Every structure is written in structure tokens, then in C-alpha cells.
Amino acid sequence: LQAKTEILSEQRNRFVSDGVASVTPLYVESAKGAIIKDVDGREYIDFAGGIAVMNIGHSHPKVVAAIKDQAEKFTHTCFMVNPYESVVALAEKLCLLTPGDFAKKAVFLNCGAEAVENAVKIARYYTKRPAIIVFENAYHGRTLLTMTMTSKVKPYKFGFGPFAPEVYRMPFGDAVGPEKLHDFFVKHVNPEAVAAVVAEPVQGEGGFIAPPPGYFQELAKICKDNGILFVADEIQSGMGRTGKMWAIEHWDVEPDLITVAKSLAAGMPLAAVIGKQEIMDSIH
């Protein structure tokens, strides 16, 4: 008999775009905790976690119960048409959990790239400035704007230009120390034109890179002194992945905006931007 994996592989080659790549050739039948079982009954230890999505493991009983409970009530009304309690409750929890002893508000989106896009929209609207600063080795998504913000050309950006304007790329803290940060605002972009600096506290796709002590503190000070919003992209590094709920807490920095997704909903399509109340409420 032909293995199910081979049958599915043949079907995939016929019907799924070659542009959709997979790291492994296995096809998942079920998963529990850190163990994945494929359609032919073989078991594997999962070291990917859906790319930082399954921080509490696959099919956690509380998550499964919550999904079943919600599915039996309703799946969608559109909060902008008919709101519901769980959005309000989660917004409150995230506002209390994120760094910063100031009033915050949240907005929910579908995925990490949407969260980053909306953080940029909010920053530009609030500051009335166009420019965004990101970093070498950064990863922020694959929509037009977030693909522009992402550093690596292949495979993410190759052949997909032209890209979004007013995005400037700075060397990350592993390449330059805090003392070099000021040079960038002299040689590359006028700080008075910058809406936000968007940084992964610990870079993910770029190679799990953390900056040296003092780097984010100095960067946050530059932002504050120049009216620039500091945005922490915690989509990969957040939700407990570094030992603290948010990776930026390792540097005692309080971002103006934080983006979260991935493990926020353990595999469900959910993301959020959480930020200072006056910034979040500035949008029409």
C-alpha cells in the first residue's frame, strides 16, 4: 500500500502552489504537547512550535475547551458591528500585562503582519510624520509594508518590489553599540521626520540576536527626546518565550506601542497592538 504521506505529497504537487514551501515532508495527523504524529503514525518532537506560535504546546486542554466553548456560542459577528465580552476582557488583560505604568488601550487584528502595519499607521497618524526606522536582520512580515521592513531579500523580498517608501534600516545592537545610535540620525534620516522605531527586542528570523546592555535604554531615550514612538515587536519574542512575559522587560524599557500575535492565541488567528491611551485614541 502507498503511504498516506506519498499520496498527500502527490496531491499537493498537483493543487498547492509551489510558492508555498514546507520545511519537512511530513503531514500532521495530530499533535499533543511537543509531539507531532504524522498521517502514517510516526511521531516527532516538534522544535518549531508553528514558528513561535505554540509556546504552551499543541492541543492544551484549556485552549481546546475554550475553542469548543466559543464555537458553540458563535464564531463571528464582527466586533465593529456587534461587539462581545471576550474582546473587552482580553484588551483589559493585555493592557495590565504590558510594560508601562500608564493608561493603555488595545486593538485586535488577524495576524502579526497586520499588527505591525497598524502600529505603523497609528504612529504615523499620531506623530504626523512619515519615516519608519527598522533594523538589519529584522523580520516583521510579508505584506508590502512589513516585507519592506523585513531585512532579508531572499526569499522574502526577491522580485516583489517596488517597496513601500520612507523605511530606513539601522544596524542592530549586535553590530553597533549604543554610542553609534546618534550617528544614524545625522547621516541617514532627520529625526524630526521619524514617526517610529520598530524593534524586535530579541530578533527572531535574523538569528535570535539580543543587543548589548544599555542599547534599548539609549534608543528609547533618543526616541523620547525627538518625539519618536518606540515600538516593540513582541510577535515572536513575547508571551513568555524569553523567560519574561515580554522580552523588552529584560531592558526595563516601556514601549509606546507593542505588537503581539503568534502565541497570543495558541494557533488561532489573533494579533493585537497595545499602546499608550493618548496614542491609541488619536485615530479617527
Side-chain angles (χ1 to χ4, degrees):
L1 292 175
Q2 190 178 19
K4 288 184 179 180
T5 299
E6 294 178 8
I7 294 170
L8 285 170
S9 181
E10 290 174 2
Q11 286 181 293
R12 174 194 176 125
N13 290 337
R14 287 182 62 194
F15 300 114
V16 178
S17 167
D18 286 351
V20 182
S22 297
V23 174
T24 71
L26 68 91
Y27 287 83
V28 179
E29 186 272 328
S30 61
K32 185 79 172 177
I35 304 300
I36 285 177
K37 181 186 288 186
D38 77 359
V39 292
D40 292 309
R42 293 170 293 216
E43 292 189 345
Y44 303 84
I45 300 173
D46 180 11
F47 286 100
I51 311 181
V53 172
M54 311 307 296
N55 284 3
I56 59 169
H58 295 281
S59 302
H60 191 287
K62 289 185 177 180
V63 175
V64 173
I67 293 170
K68 286 181 177 179
D69 179 63
Q70 184 59 53
E72 288 173 351
K73 292 176 180 176
F74 63 90
T75 56
H76 180 66
T77 67
C78 185
F79 189 81
M80 291 182 291
V81 178
N82 293 304
Y84 40 91
E85 182 181 1
S86 57
V87 168
V88 178
L90 182 56
E92 179 183 13
K93 182 170 284 189
L94 287 172
C95 288
L96 293 173
L97 277 174
T98 46
D101 187 21
F102 42 77
K104 307 186 200 85
K105 288 194 175 182
V107 61
F108 293 104
L109 301 315
N110 294 300
C111 66
E114 279 193 20
V116 175
E117 291 248 358
N118 278 275
V120 170
K121 285 161 59 180
I122 292 165
R124 283 175 167 166
Y125 195 93
Y126 178 76
T127 62
K128 303 297 186 286
R129 299 174 177 184
I132 301 296
I133 293 175
V134 291
F135 293 88
E136 292 177 1
N137 295 313
Y139 181 87
H140 296 291
R142 296 199 229 184
T143 57
L144 176 62
L145 176 58
T146 60
M147 183 170 56
T148 305
M149 296 167 69
T150 291
S151 181
K152 188 182 288 185
V153 175
K154 286 188 177 181
Y156 304 124
K157 301 165 80 165
F158 180 72
F160 292 137
F163 301 108
E166 292 295 333
V167 175
Y168 298 86
R169 194 167 308 282
M170 178 188 291
F172 196 55
D174 62 315
V176 295
E179 68 282 352
K180 292 289 186 181
L181 283 167
H182 295 269
D183 291 349
F184 190 84
F185 293 94
V186 174
K187 299 175 181 177
H188 297 280
V189 61
N190 172 18
E192 295 176 4
V194 178
V197 171
V198 183
E200 299 162 275
V202 177
Q203 291 190 325
E205 200 274 349
F208 306 117
I209 301 166
Y215 185 81
F216 278 133
Q217 290 93 329
E218 185 63 24
L219 181 60
K221 183 179 184 302
I222 292 172
C223 288
K224 186 175 182 180
D225 291 345
N226 290 278
I228 300 167
L229 300 190
F230 181 79
V231 182
D233 182 347
E234 291 273 10
I235 290 163
Q236 282 204 43
S237 60
M239 304 306 297
R241 196 163 180 230
T242 66
K244 294 182 181 288
M245 181 59 79
W246 314 106
I248 196 65
E249 292 181 276
H250 290 285
W251 291 274
D252 295 320
V253 169
E254 299 176 349
D256 298 294
L257 300 173
I258 294 179
T259 61
V260 295
K262 288 187 178 287
S263 278
L264 172 65
M268 296 293 99
L270 183 67
V273 180
I274 309 102
K276 289 181 177 178
Q277 178 179 298
E278 64 268 25
I279 298 172
M280 299 296 288
D281 280 348
S282 69
I283 309 298
H284 59 78

